[in-house]
Amino acid sequence: MADPNTNASRLGTFQCHFTWELEEKFTRDFKTAMDYIDHHLKHNPDEMRVPAMAVKAYIYASNLQGNDTPMKYRTAKDAITEALKRNKDDSEEDPTNDGYNGYKVVLLADLAWLHHKTRGRNVETCITEVEELQASLSEEAQAYMQAMKAFTFQWFGISKYTEGISCYEEALRVVPSNVEWFFGYTQLLQKTSYSDPQDTYGTSKVESNLRCFISKTPKNGLAHVYLADELLQKGKDSHLEAEYEVGQALESGGENVVVLQRAGKVFCSLKKYDKALELYDRALELESESSFTLKLVGDAHRFQYFDKPTAERDEGDKQHLENAIKYYRRAYEADKSNFRAHSQMASLYSELGQQDEAEEVYSQLIETRDKENKAEAFYHFAEFRDDLALYKEAVDTDVDSYGGKRAAKKIIEKMQSELTRNPNSKAFETLGWVYTKTGFIDSACFHYQQAYKMEPRKELELRLSQRYVESVNPDQACKYLELIKDSNPEEYRLLKGKLHLSLGVEFKDQGMTDKAREQFSLSTEYKSLEGCEKLAELLQNYTDDEKYDKRWITDWAKITSVLQNEWDLVEKCQDKVKESRLNALEEIREKAFMPKVRYLHDLYDKYVELLLKPGVDKYGSVLIEARSLLDRVMSDFQKRRYSEIEYKKTRYTFFYIKDLKKGVKKDEKYVYMQLQKRLEGDYEWNGFRGKFPDLFDALIKVQPAYDFTENKKMIFLFEIVNEYKHRGSLKDGMQEVKIDGEKYNFSFEELTEWSVSKVIKLVQCFDKHM
């Protein structure tokens, strides 16, 4: 079985959905993302069909909020297989087009990732196939890969749009005649507002592209309606032409729900609400429960009400609001994730003076799962109530969203106004908090300082410690850290670790490696996981001569100790905390702890190497302690995360193969081959004797043929004891065993004095308990 770390590094070089970082800064939940792509596949079945199917497959496998798809990776594999079949059919219809191999490479790379995530047997085969295909891709096929990447970026938020535009441009450079890509490219340009006039006639790039596209595909209703929308941006002089384009769109695609929806929106912009409502009714005839269409009907009624000056409105105009609420409610009932419809209901209830109804809807809105929508809901609820606590909730939920930014601005305005009237510690503290959230750390420090001068409290000492650590101001940080050392030891530990880590990063960036190492090493004393990672990166680059430095050994021991401590913390908390905390601990395990344990794969080899070199016996006690910690971590790690075959590789490759390769004699080849078979086999683990009952005995017999140094013997014996503990022959805490009626202690100190014959007797004694 191939090394998963090697597979991961090979997979990381592929161009596919799992390497494009699609979920970074993406705020939609699983259901919303799936609804969007399903809508596209339903109403635009021939537009980028294979890339759309690939996006759907990725969403199944994603970590988007709310993804509780049973056997999600299996479902994603099935979806990828279906996309591969569709791509094959398309390529057979157009056999001269080599571009479909580009789609195939991306789909197979996705499939390889899914096999890797499920530890499937086909991962190696799939990876090799992708590598072979990649090596022979034509320029046209590479263009198809870029187009699929560009299309995918259209679905994963505004942060990906600019890169999507670049991908489309690269693809169109090679295949300029592909109208699907050209249309997608134009849509992205429109979404990113690249519509500024670019020629003397005031024609934008989007408009120019759409006209070019329509000249090639005059019956594409969507293109006409997109052009109409673009013309609206040019002002009243273009309104007549926009209306003409809507007519062309309806003539070409009058039975397409998306065309009807967009055409209705154009008429709303032209304030021709009756025509808009007529088109929406036609859309509802095609899809009676379309939440989006129902929401658009509500919008049309709302616009009619608010388009009239307040002084001119009468009781009859309120009917528009009541109609709007009715359709918004229907839209929400058709799709509970339709945040916009639900949100408009609340604001219109408030407009009608129905405060209880508005309060009820706002209370429901803040329970939404989408972070961006949740922040906006808190902001509007705060506006409704004029409630500082709700503004803070909006900022806490998503400070970078529309609602979070508006709420932060409102808090600053309120607190500055209060300080003008009545300077007080609480207002300064609130400003310190909001400046922290918005990333203005120096301003946060200043306002926390002002609050502390007025009212020196422990809570403010903690806040100042945190902010000065964050700004890497060691003098001020240490000053306030000393104040919280006794009252809040855990936060003191975390902040000290973070401070040393940040200082280490600064020194490393300046090329001061020794000082960086010193700071990273200090951070591990405060159990900083990231400090462990940074220290390990430095230690792995040291030369053999530098490894004789005792600090190299003790630093590795520190890393191992921190990792074990972190695992113990996770284990200790699991039965005592709420479900939300368990999820957070699982995140520590997945994202923080587990990746760093992979350093230990190489760590034991380093210890053994060092032990076998002359002149390092004086470090024996340090190495033994570190090795003990290492074994505990690896044992815990494999029980939870590793398949049995990976556990075998971890335990046995480190030592037995290493020793046997040092000069395998003729009579030892059997042992070597059996070990290789065990390591490469893919079967259930059934104990050490398992498939090869004579293996362990053979190994014991081989050992006396070696120059069995004390250090080697120590580690070998330690492995034997651990093996029997793993098999259940030795209970935890068991320290002695009877051999020939005599009790023997097998602590480290005594094991080193044992002869090989006594070890064999020990093995035979253990075997009686199996």
Side-chain angles (χ1 to χ4, degrees), residues 477-535:
C478 289
K479 171 185 171 182
Y480 288 100
L481 282 168
E482 285 304 310
L483 295 174
I484 68 166
K485 185 174 182 179
D486 295 330
S487 59
N488 201 334
E490 180 60 17
E491 194 67 30
Y492 171 82
R493 178 188 69 76
L494 290 170
L495 289 171
K496 282 288 278 187
K498 186 176 179 181
L499 179 61
H500 288 300
L501 170 67
S502 300
L503 288 169
V505 170
E506 284 197 353
F507 284 131
K508 186 181 177 185
D509 290 344
Q510 295 167 20
M512 304 167 72
T513 308
D514 286 341
K515 287 191 174 183
R517 173 183 176 173
E518 182 182 351
Q519 292 298 325
F520 292 144
S521 185
L522 285 170
S523 75
T524 65
E525 294 177 14
Y526 296 97
K527 299 179 175 61
S528 166
L529 280 173
E530 198 172 347
C532 285
E533 181 177 14
K534 297 295 183 185
L535 181 58

Side-chain angles (χ1 to χ4, degrees), residues 461-490:
E461 290 171 355
L462 174 59
R463 297 288 170 258
L464 283 163
S465 299
Q466 291 168 333
R467 298 296 76 77
Y468 282 122
V469 166
E470 199 170 343
S471 61
V472 198
N473 184 334
D475 293 337
Q476 289 293 329
C478 289
K479 171 185 171 182
Y480 288 100
L481 282 168
E482 285 304 310
L483 295 174
I484 68 166
K485 185 174 182 179
D486 295 330
S487 59
N488 201 334
E490 180 60 17

Side-chain angles (χ1 to χ4, degrees), residues 71 142 414 492 535 571 645 681:
M71 300 180 70
Q142 291 175 27
K414 280 179 168 291
Y492 171 82
L535 181 58
E571 291 296 293
I645 189 68

Side-chain angles (χ1 to χ4, degrees), residues 276-520:
L277 289 168
E278 181 185 332
L279 293 177
Y280 294 151
D281 285 342
R282 283 169 60 183
L284 287 171
E285 286 173 9
L286 296 170
E287 285 188 11
S288 60
E289 293 304 311
S290 167
S291 180
F292 184 60
T293 306
L294 290 166
K295 187 255 181 190
L296 290 176
V297 177
D299 288 342
H301 285 292
R302 177 169 60 89
F303 294 153
Q304 287 185 78
Y305 176 82
F306 285 106
D307 272 353
K308 227 177 186 182
T310 306
E312 297 177 17
R313 293 176 194 152
D314 55 29
E315 287 299 314
D317 291 314
K318 286 190 177 179
Q319 185 62 43
H320 288 307
L321 286 189
E322 290 168 0
N323 285 338
I325 289 173
K326 179 180 76 173
Y327 279 98
Y328 285 142
R329 184 182 294 110
R330 281 186 61 190
Y332 177 64
E333 287 170 353
D335 180 4
K336 297 293 185 183
S337 68
N338 193 329
F339 174 82
R340 294 291 159 218
H342 206 196
S343 180
Q344 290 295 350
M345 281 174 62
S347 64
L348 294 189
Y349 276 132
S350 180
E351 179 70 20
L352 287 169
Q354 299 177 22
Q355 305 304 317
D356 291 344
E357 288 83 353
E359 176 94 17
E360 181 182 352
V361 175
Y362 278 127
S363 298
Q364 294 168 354
L365 281 166
I366 60 176
E367 297 301 320
T368 185
R369 291 186 300 187
D370 184 278
K371 270 177 46 176
E372 192 172 341
N373 288 341
K374 193 182 189 80
E376 187 175 337
F378 272 120
Y379 169 69
H380 289 305
F381 201 4
E383 290 280 277
F384 175 73
R385 279 189 178 177
D386 191 23
D387 188 331
L388 180 64
L390 290 173
Y391 285 121
K392 283 186 166 185
E393 288 285 357
V395 173
D396 253 341
T397 301
D398 188 354
V399 69
D400 294 322
S401 67
Y402 165 82
K405 288 177 180 177
R406 293 292 296 271
K409 184 178 178 182
K410 201 63 178 261
I411 292 170
I412 291 170
E413 289 172 358
K414 280 179 168 291
M415 293 303 100
Q416 288 176 341
S417 175
E418 183 174 334
L419 287 171
T420 303
R421 298 191 312 271
N422 174 33
N424 63 86
S425 174
K426 200 68 183 173
F428 277 119
E429 184 180 357
T430 301
L431 283 170
W433 176 84
V434 76
Y435 281 125
T436 298
K437 289 290 184 179
T438 51
F440 296 99
I441 304 302
D442 289 341
S443 294
C445 289
F446 170 79
H447 286 93
Y448 276 131
Q449 282 277 20
Q450 298 306 308
Y452 189 69
K453 286 177 184 177
M454 297 182 77
E455 189 181 348
R457 290 181 283 119
K458 285 293 179 186
E459 186 180 349
L460 291 172
E461 290 171 355
L462 174 59
R463 297 288 170 258
L464 283 163
S465 299
Q466 291 168 333
R467 298 296 76 77
Y468 282 122
V469 166
E470 199 170 343
S471 61
V472 198
N473 184 334
D475 293 337
Q476 289 293 329
C478 289
K479 171 185 171 182
Y480 288 100
L481 282 168
E482 285 304 310
L483 295 174
I484 68 166
K485 185 174 182 179
D486 295 330
S487 59
N488 201 334
E490 180 60 17
E491 194 67 30
Y492 171 82
R493 178 188 69 76
L494 290 170
L495 289 171
K496 282 288 278 187
K498 186 176 179 181
L499 179 61
H500 288 300
L501 170 67
S502 300
L503 288 169
V505 170
E506 284 197 353
F507 284 131
K508 186 181 177 185
D509 290 344
Q510 295 167 20
M512 304 167 72
T513 308
D514 286 341
K515 287 191 174 183
R517 173 183 176 173
E518 182 182 351
Q519 292 298 325
F520 292 144

Side-chain angles (χ1 to χ4, degrees), residues 40 56 146 159 187-188 230 294 333 406 429 470 489 534 562 565 582 587 598 616 622 637 642 658 663 666 668 706 768:
H40 172 87
K56 181 168 182 174
Q146 289 297 313
S159 66
Q187 287 176 297
L188 270 183
E230 187 65 22
L294 290 166
E333 287 170 353
R406 293 292 296 271
E429 184 180 357
E470 199 170 343
K534 297 295 183 185
V562 173
N565 178 76
L582 279 175
E587 192 171 323
R598 289 188 171 85
V616 294
V622 175
F637 183 48
Y642 266 18
K658 184 180 184 67
K666 222 172 185 183
E668 297 165 6
Y706 285 95
K768 292 176 184 177

Side-chain angles (χ1 to χ4, degrees), residues 521-522 524-525 532 553-563:
S521 185
L522 285 170
T524 65
E525 294 177 14
C532 285
I553 304 167
T554 54
D555 279 346
W556 275 116
K558 285 180 181 180
I559 291 169
T560 315
S561 178
V562 173
L563 293 173

Side-chain angles (χ1 to χ4, degrees), residues 27-59:
T27 57
R28 286 179 187 156
D29 62 12
F30 171 78
K31 184 180 184 307
T32 306
M34 189 60 80
D35 285 348
Y36 273 113
I37 198 65
D38 279 340
H39 188 268
H40 172 87
L41 287 164
K42 179 178 180 180
H43 296 292
N44 304 286
D46 298 320
E47 183 188 330
M48 301 290 279
R49 182 72 180 184
V50 171
M53 294 170 77
V55 168
K56 181 168 182 174
Y58 176 79
I59 292 172

